[in-house]
Amino acid sequence: MRYQILDVYSNSYGIVLWLIGEKGDRKSVFRRFRPYFFIKAEDTKALKLLKKRFGNSIKIKKTRKKDLIDGEIQLFKIVSDSPAVYHKAVSFVKSRKEFQETDLYNLQLTPSQLFMFEKKIFPFCQLEEICKNGKTLYKKIDDYSSTDYMVFPLKIMEIKPETEGENPNHTKNLPPLIVNFEGRSLIFDSQTDELSDFIKKKTLTYLS
């Protein structure tokens, strides 16, 4: 069975991938992931401060990476135990003056971006489902350098306010909503329960 990646995001513990099958079936897959960033620290006091704050929920490893300007450089790889710890560690490093005089790498990347980069996957990348030793695995069968590849049929529902340009956050009442789906346009007044039931009855691939 072949699948395509429809969405990738992180939760507190790892990465969630939503997949769509070639027959239109959908499933979610969870993978543990330990996000990381790099620090070029001359003063190890800063690293000790980081370790004191997060303890065993992070690991600090020496590594070497290639820099476009300086060539190969020595860095410290900060591996967090989970995306939740990663976000806290990034915020901690950004807020402390001890890290302001050093180079920092990957702090702007989200855990899901790091995961996709590491696994060389991308939206609508095709995967092959393989069962091995009682476990379900997914093997990438698309080349990330390709620019032309097939996308499985999608069922897309678009929801937008009837009044264009008006910000619903600035109105007292929810404006009527226009729902476009499979060539039809429907209008729902401020009956969110009715709209919710309508969405549940449809086998959507994507909601915008």
Side-chain angles (χ1 to χ4, degrees):
M1 176 70 74
R2 290 183 303 156
Y3 288 88
Q4 285 184 318
I5 297 175
L6 190 63
D7 193 14
V8 181
Y9 60 90
S10 64
N11 60 20
S12 296
Y13 306 101
I15 299 295
V16 179
L17 296 94
W18 273 99
L19 309 179
I20 177 174
E22 54 190 328
K23 296 182 180 180
D25 55 315
R26 293 160 297 163
K27 64 168 60 179
S28 63
V29 177
F30 173 78
R31 290 290 183 267
R32 284 280 296 174
F33 184 59
R34 294 173 174 81
Y36 50 87
F37 58 91
F38 299 92
I39 294 178
K40 185 181 179 183
E42 302 293 339
D43 186 0
T44 56
K45 290 181 180 179
L47 295 174
K48 290 178 180 178
L49 179 66
L50 187 63
K51 187 66 177 177
K52 181 179 179 181
R53 169 63 178 81
F54 293 97
N56 293 331
S57 60
I58 65 167
K59 292 183 179 179
I60 302 176
K61 305 176 181 179
K62 279 188 178 181
T63 186
R64 302 191 73 85
K65 301 284 286 184
K66 287 186 177 180
D67 185 82
L68 291 175
I69 299 175
D70 299 327
E72 190 173 80
I73 57 176
Q74 179 176 293
L75 299 172
F76 291 93
K77 185 177 183 180
I78 315 301
V79 182
S80 57
D81 189 54
S82 66
V85 174
Y86 173 82
H87 288 303
K88 292 178 181 178
V90 168
S91 297
F92 180 78
V93 168
K94 287 182 176 180
S95 65
R96 298 298 298 241
K97 63 180 181 180
E98 288 86 353
F99 297 94
Q100 293 178 1
E101 299 300 324
T102 188
D103 294 330
L104 306 169
Y105 302 84
N106 282 19
L107 266 70
Q108 77 282 10
L109 299 179
T110 65
S112 57
Q113 290 172 329
L114 284 167
F115 181 83
M116 288 191 288
F117 175 78
E118 186 174 291
K119 304 298 182 182
K120 295 184 178 180
I121 59 175
F122 48 90
F124 297 113
C125 170
Q126 285 196 34
L127 308 174
E128 182 180 8
E129 187 178 72
I130 301 173
C131 293
K132 187 175 181 180
N133 298 326
K135 294 183 178 181
T136 302
L137 307 175
Y138 295 90
K139 178 182 177 182
K140 181 171 66 73
I141 57 177
D142 254 341
D143 185 352
Y144 67 93
S145 63
S146 299
T147 57
D148 185 18
Y149 53 92
M150 182 186 69
V151 176
F152 297 155
L154 305 177
K155 291 185 177 181
I156 300 175
M157 178 181 291
E158 179 188 36
I159 301 177
K160 61 181 180 180
E162 184 181 33
T163 304
E164 294 286 349
E166 184 176 356
N167 189 339
N169 292 328
H170 299 160
T171 60
K172 293 182 179 180
N173 300 312
L174 182 68
L177 299 174
I178 298 176
V179 177
N180 297 318
F181 182 64
E182 295 186 325
R184 298 173 58 201
S185 290
L186 303 173
I187 296 181
F188 289 84
D189 293 327
S190 56
Q191 302 175 18
T192 55
D193 291 339
E194 183 180 348
L195 176 57
S196 178
D197 291 339
F198 178 78
I199 294 173
K200 290 177 182 178
K201 292 177 182 178
K202 305 299 180 181
T203 55
L204 301 180
T205 304
Y206 184 73
L207 183 65
S208 67

